[in-house]
Amino acid sequence: MSAIAAGAMAQTGFDNLPDPVEDVNKVVDNTPDSIAKALMSRPAPGSTRKGNQPVLFLVGNSTMRNGTLGNGNNGQWGWGFFASQYFNANKISVENQALGGMSTRTFYRKLWPAIEQALKPGDWVIISIGHNDNGPYDSGRARAVIPGTGNDSLHVKIKETGEEETVYSYGGYLRRYIAECRAKGAHPILMSLTPRDAFDEKTGKIIRKPQTGWAAVVAAEEGVPFVDLNEISGQKLDSYSKWKEQYHFYQDHIHSSAWGAQMNARSAAEGIAASRNPDLKPLQDMMINVALPTWPVNREKGKPVVWITGDSTVKNADKDKNGMWGWGSQANTIFNEKKITIYNAAMAGRSSRSYIREGRWEKVYNSLQPGDFVLIEFGHNDICPINDKKERGVIASADDTCHVYKMEKDGRYELVYSFGWYLKKMIDDAREKGATPILVSLTPRNEWPNGKIERRNDSYGKWYREVVKATGVEFLDLHNISGDWLDKHCGSKDKAMKYFNHDHTHTSLKGAQMNAKSIARGLKQIKSKLADYLK
């Protein structure tokens, strides 16, 4: 954007912008109605270029870049926000030039000229647009294109402005993008649209968009790479439970949550990386992080893995006999390692939310195989402040609820869910992979109100049981099993001190061993299949 244009926008201000408009898809998209803000928050085309390195430009709509500022403050994210993590920043910069509310036609007319001007030989352009291509041709937002790939056109006069315009087919606009990229020595890539939360009643699967076929035809005719993002992400959504599929969207059936945006970004990267089109080889050589992250478990044929997840009460320093220990370090004292492999993936200081946000759960999920077991124990760090620097807090509930919060540390926005929701996610994910999830209640603390060890059955205990009722998951009540044992064998805080270290929460080696034994007792009590692998 030119300095003159930016100055004009700054002088105009944002006070007299029109009210949001609901489009023909029943979606209220604020971005086109505050285009001045949006243009100022998008990078000027080509401004991210480092020296003579190429730029990867992203051309799309709100499914690629959502909201006026594109920062998730409305709980919706476009996949372009996450695309850069798949490209080596020392070799190429990724520039998300998408804008909500744009159609193939309006982007070409209003935003493409500045991008075209910034293109240099060796640049790349991903074109994935078309969600807004319906509606009127000559009134309102006037975004519609002629369906298909034909060479037909339509001359229109916009009713509100009197402006005259020639409208082309979807394929006609794609050909123009391609030709103008090539004229500047850049490499165009056609990519189909993100899937919507819409199902084919006959197949029960996500509807595939017709633009996919049209883009594939144009790509074949023009000899440019084509990535079927619609199909790659569609297959993933088809494999999920209905509950999981739905949380990849937020507030409507088109726009993605952070979960959906990250899935689509990975799908786009996987599609590029897997392509056998030799034209994509230079771009593929600049890609990173495409392989799914996993934990380095040593699997043995015929032996399942018991995965242990949780916080510092599950995995601590686990090395100094007089230090702090998590019960997961003592799992080998209760499980028969000739029959089952133990992998302790817990991490001190984590809540259900931060364990997932940091990608630790994703590595478990990607590593799971049918027949595995997953012990899920969180709680000690969950009811902390939600938006402080540790970013661990959750909404204190088992309900499927969420809210957008602004983080104090860096101003980042995050859609934070309830304690129960995060547990349900891990349970659902494990089942999807053919593994058996087992929900484990948090270890008791060395607090003794009224002469009995503290029980948190009115908070965490209540939420655990609500999750159990909602999901039917196996439930191992470690909190009360160990609590009962400490009540019986200690009877006071002073006598229980030998089972704790440093404070009232973290356990000593003796305490970790005690909790591990409680795990074994609990598995037998609930008659879990995992009990077959105990010593």
Side-chain angles (χ1 to χ4, degrees), residues 395-436:
I395 297 173
S397 171
D399 297 336
D400 284 355
T401 187
C402 58
H403 184 74
V404 178
Y405 293 88
K406 185 176 183 179
M407 300 300 111
E408 294 176 353
K409 182 171 63 177
D410 55 9
R412 177 179 59 85
Y413 289 92
E414 183 179 343
L415 189 60
V416 177
Y417 298 80
S418 72
F419 179 62
W421 188 94
Y422 289 111
L423 297 181
K424 290 174 188 175
K425 172 176 170 51
M426 289 185 272
I427 291 165
D428 184 71
D429 281 349
R431 285 172 168 167
E432 177 192 323
K433 289 300 193 78
T436 300

Side-chain angles (χ1 to χ4, degrees), residues 337-362:
E337 292 184 275
K338 292 181 179 179
K339 294 181 178 181
I340 195 165
T341 298
I342 302 165
Y343 196 95
N344 188 358
M347 184 67 183
R350 271 53 187 181
S351 66
S352 58
R353 168 191 166 202
S354 62
Y355 189 85
I356 292 173
R357 189 190 66 249
E358 293 173 0
R360 299 177 189 280
W361 172 253
E362 182 188 5

Side-chain angles (χ1 to χ4, degrees), residues 393-514:
V394 301
I395 297 173
S397 171
D399 297 336
D400 284 355
T401 187
C402 58
H403 184 74
V404 178
Y405 293 88
K406 185 176 183 179
M407 300 300 111
E408 294 176 353
K409 182 171 63 177
D410 55 9
R412 177 179 59 85
Y413 289 92
E414 183 179 343
L415 189 60
V416 177
Y417 298 80
S418 72
F419 179 62
W421 188 94
Y422 289 111
L423 297 181
K424 290 174 188 175
K425 172 176 170 51
M426 289 185 272
I427 291 165
D428 184 71
D429 281 349
R431 285 172 168 167
E432 177 192 323
K433 289 300 193 78
T436 300
I438 301 172
L439 184 60
V440 180
S441 56
L442 78 174
T443 58
R445 300 191 302 180
N446 193 23
E447 295 287 356
W448 293 74
N450 304 315
K452 295 285 186 179
I453 196 164
E454 173 196 65
R455 305 297 174 112
R456 303 166 86 176
N457 292 320
D458 292 335
S459 55
Y460 288 104
K462 175 177 179 288
W463 303 326
Y464 288 130
R465 286 170 173 78
E466 288 175 355
V467 170
V468 171
K469 183 178 180 180
T471 65
V473 69
E474 291 184 17
F475 179 48
L476 194 162
D477 195 0
L478 174 62
H479 183 74
N480 286 300
I481 295 173
S482 284
D484 289 347
W485 193 93
L486 290 166
D487 269 341
K488 180 178 179 180
H489 292 87
C490 296
S492 70
K493 183 170 185 174
D494 287 343
K495 291 182 179 180
M497 278 298 296
K498 59 187 174 183
Y499 295 100
F500 294 85
N501 187 293
H502 184 68
D503 55 31
H504 57 39
T505 302
H506 299 98
T507 47
S508 63
L509 176 57
K510 195 174 184 69
Q513 291 169 344
M514 180 269 297

